[in-house]
Amino acid sequence: MTTIYSARWVVPVSAAPIENGAVAVEGQRIAGVGPHAEIVAKFPDHKLESFGDAIILPGLVNLHTHLELTAMRSYLENEETDFFAWLRKLTVARLELMTPDDIRVSATWGACEAVRAGITCVGDASDAGMMGMMALRDVGLRGVVYQESFGPDARLAQENFEKVKTKVDQLRTVETELVRVGVSPHAPYTVCGPQLELIAEFASTEKLPLMMHAAESAAEEIFVREGCGAFAEGLARRSIEWKAPGVSTIQYLKQAGVLDVKPLLAHCIRVDDRDIETLRDTDSKVAHCPKSNAKLGHGRAPFARFLEAGIAVGFGSDSVASNNTCDILEEARFATLMARAGGGFVPGADALRVATFGRGLNDGALADLAVVSLTGVHQLPSYDPIATLIFASSGRDVIMTVVAGREVYRDGRVSNVDEDRLRARVLEINHRLRG
Ligand SMILES: [Zn+2]
């Protein structure tokens, strides 16, 4: 049996928009994309789902988030001017105030927010990887859960490496076709050089995807280049030795072997021409997180230049503790406007390609779709569906999300979990964190 989804517009991204278009889905895959009449004739035995004034597009991809921190939305507003204090309050809350079940609820709530916004695939960095994997599985999202590793002290590098290796081995037992495991050395200021090298080597031999935060803050830059600033002082207070490599973060990661595994690097704000060349030459991927970067005052990544250089770039919301929403259409609009404000012209069509991380609606492709309503006062009139998506729509206009041929969100309801129960639990966590 074929399901045909039809709407006023189909925007395949990999081809020009189709007015009065349709997408045929069989099992987990797309079986046909084209004008409504053509698709209906091609698959006579079908169930038709007509959305009328709406746009069908490939599912949106959120390359960098921390779903487990969803319960901390607006929790850290007073610490935003001090990144060090921000990280500390977040870490204390996660490790001391939240139970494992709280973390799972928080991640599941975040996964609900994602599918409600038309996101079908996430790159989720998690300290509690098992809870992240369960959240994605419960909601029916596709994604990679990157188990985080911390450890700035070189004397403990081997021990900390063994810990993350054990966690990754455990996570592999719950992998599914949709939910895969990766590894994430958290950041250059929280993971020492020898530990970075061990993790990069492990990722290489085990063919594990690797994600890490890179070139994000001024504090990180001065820490890596000169060995001073808040992060260096923090380590000194704990009697942890740090010898700055004296180069940019990107060159440091290259030296440590991290770029040998074609990593996904989140932020990449503080990069120069040489770094951009290095990212391109090593096939590193960039998760561009413009709203988080702006909200925390870290600066503006050279998005237009990434595109010019041909770097594989996608959008990341980062955690909602620094955003405060998980909404890739919003991220795309903000990125495009910020790039233009900075003098680089990014066309709406390019932004949409980044928002789907290059995925298109093609015969045989995975049936990951989003349907955006086209009835909002804020969207009409619409002369150009791509402009309407990027400049006038947000995740709140999404009416259906399909992952691997299965509807995970439709008509205001997330299909696979009890959102009322989750809402009550999230409010409970909220009360506890408020103290
Ligand atoms: Zn992050």
Side-chain angles (χ1 to χ4, degrees):
M1 178 74 146
T2 311
T3 303
I4 294 178
Y5 296 110
S6 79
R8 163 85 195 286
W9 288 103
V10 169
V11 176
V13 179
S14 48
I18 305 162
E19 194 159 6
N20 299 317
V23 179
V25 173
E26 285 176 349
Q28 297 195 13
R29 303 248 162 208
I30 293 171
V33 180
H36 176 90
E38 210 175 90
I39 293 296
V40 167
K42 194 171 166 192
F43 300 94
D45 180 23
H46 65 257
K47 180 177 94 168
L48 181 65
E49 302 270 6
S50 245
F51 289 93
D53 281 331
I55 303 172
I56 302 175
L57 68 151
L60 301 165
V61 176
N62 187 353
L63 271 193
H64 179 67
T65 182
H66 305 263
L67 295 177
E68 67 190 17
L69 304 181
T70 303
M72 293 188 212
R73 194 192 319 267
S74 83
Y75 176 59
L76 302 157
E77 303 298 309
N78 297 330
E79 286 71 26
E80 282 182 331
T81 52
D82 179 350
F83 192 41
F84 201 64
W86 186 91
L87 283 167
R88 195 172 45 224
K89 184 172 173 186
L90 182 156
T91 307
V92 168
R94 185 175 56 187
L95 298 180
E96 293 171 22
L97 304 177
M98 291 173 76
T99 66
D101 190 60
D102 290 344
I103 297 280
R104 180 168 176 168
V105 164
S106 182
T108 310
W109 192 241
C112 289
E113 182 181 10
V115 296
R116 283 175 163 273
I119 294 163
T120 55
C121 182
V122 295
D124 184 38
S126 174
D127 186 34
M130 188 60 82
M131 299 299 143
M133 290 191 79
M134 289 304 151
L136 298 195
R137 285 177 53 158
D138 288 348
V139 171
L141 253 177
R142 188 187 298 283
V144 178
V145 174
Y146 297 92
Q147 173 60 52
E148 286 183 322
S149 173
F150 296 85
D153 191 337
R155 292 166 296 188
L156 303 175
Q158 187 67 39
E159 190 181 314
N160 284 324
F161 167 65
E162 297 297 336
K163 275 188 202 161
V164 74
K165 198 167 162 289
T166 306
K167 283 185 186 170
V168 166
D169 287 342
Q170 285 164 355
L171 295 182
R172 280 183 161 161
T173 63
V174 295
E175 268 188 320
T176 66
E177 217 174 303
L178 290 184
V179 183
R180 311 312 295 243
V181 182
V183 65
S184 177
H186 174 261
Y189 51 87
T190 48
V191 180
C192 64
Q195 196 168 321
L196 276 180
E197 288 170 21
L198 286 166
I199 294 173
E201 207 185 297
F202 174 57
S204 171
T205 25
E206 301 286 322
K207 298 197 169 32
L208 273 177
L210 184 150
M211 193 287 296
M212 82 177 277
H213 297 95
E216 183 180 8
S217 61
E220 174 193 326
E221 186 169 34
I222 198 168
F223 174 77
V224 176
R225 280 192 186 274
E226 294 167 35
C228 51
F231 290 125
E233 288 158 20
L235 293 188
R237 275 197 298 275
R238 294 160 64 193
S239 307
I240 296 172
E241 200 189 339
W242 167 245
K243 196 172 166 298
V247 293
S248 71
T249 290
I250 300 301
Q251 301 308 322
Y252 170 51
L253 296 183
K254 185 169 185 242
Q255 288 167 13
V258 171
L259 304 196
D260 293 344
V261 299
K262 302 179 182 175
L264 170 61
L265 301 176
H267 303 290
C268 294
I269 300 169
R270 289 152 204 285
V271 291
D272 58 21
D273 289 346
R274 180 165 170 236
D275 292 335
I276 290 178
E277 265 174 42
T278 302
L279 291 170
R280 184 199 54 210
D281 295 346
T282 54
D283 284 331
S284 299
K285 299 173 279 290
V286 171
H288 179 38
C289 308
K291 284 178 62 197
S292 172
N293 296 343
K295 188 155 192 280
L296 292 179
H298 288 326
R300 192 169 61 80
F303 177 42
R305 289 176 55 215
F306 292 151
L307 294 178
E308 274 163 31
I311 292 169
V313 50
F315 294 124
S317 63
D318 213 343
S319 81
V320 299
S322 62
N323 189 312
N324 294 358
T325 58
C326 170
D327 184 333
I328 290 301
L329 285 177
E330 253 188 26
E331 215 68 49
R333 172 163 58 260
F334 191 76
T336 307
L337 296 178
M338 286 291 280
R340 292 186 185 188
F345 185 81
V346 174
D350 286 5
L352 186 60
R353 194 167 41 76
V354 173
T356 63
F357 198 47
R359 294 165 185 220
L361 300 178
N362 303 307
D363 283 11
L366 291 162
D368 288 6
L369 320 170
V371 182
V372 174
S373 160
L374 198 50
T375 56
V377 170
H378 57 285
Q379 295 168 306
L380 297 176
S382 170
Y383 300 93
D384 174 338
I386 293 177
T388 301
L389 283 170
I390 297 299
F391 295 110
S393 304
S394 79
R396 287 158 225 186
D397 299 310
V398 169
I399 48 178
M400 186 181 76
T401 306
V402 171
V403 179
R406 291 181 61 195
E407 293 175 9
V408 292
Y409 170 68
R410 181 149 187 184
D411 302 329
R413 282 179 48 85
V414 173
S415 317
N416 302 324
V417 293
D418 179 350
E419 285 182 289
D420 292 336
R421 187 194 74 87
L422 285 169
R423 185 190 310 270
R425 283 282 289 114
V426 167
L427 292 177
E428 215 177 281
I429 300 166
N430 169 228
H431 281 294
R432 183 146 21 94
L433 292 192
R434 235 184 326 182

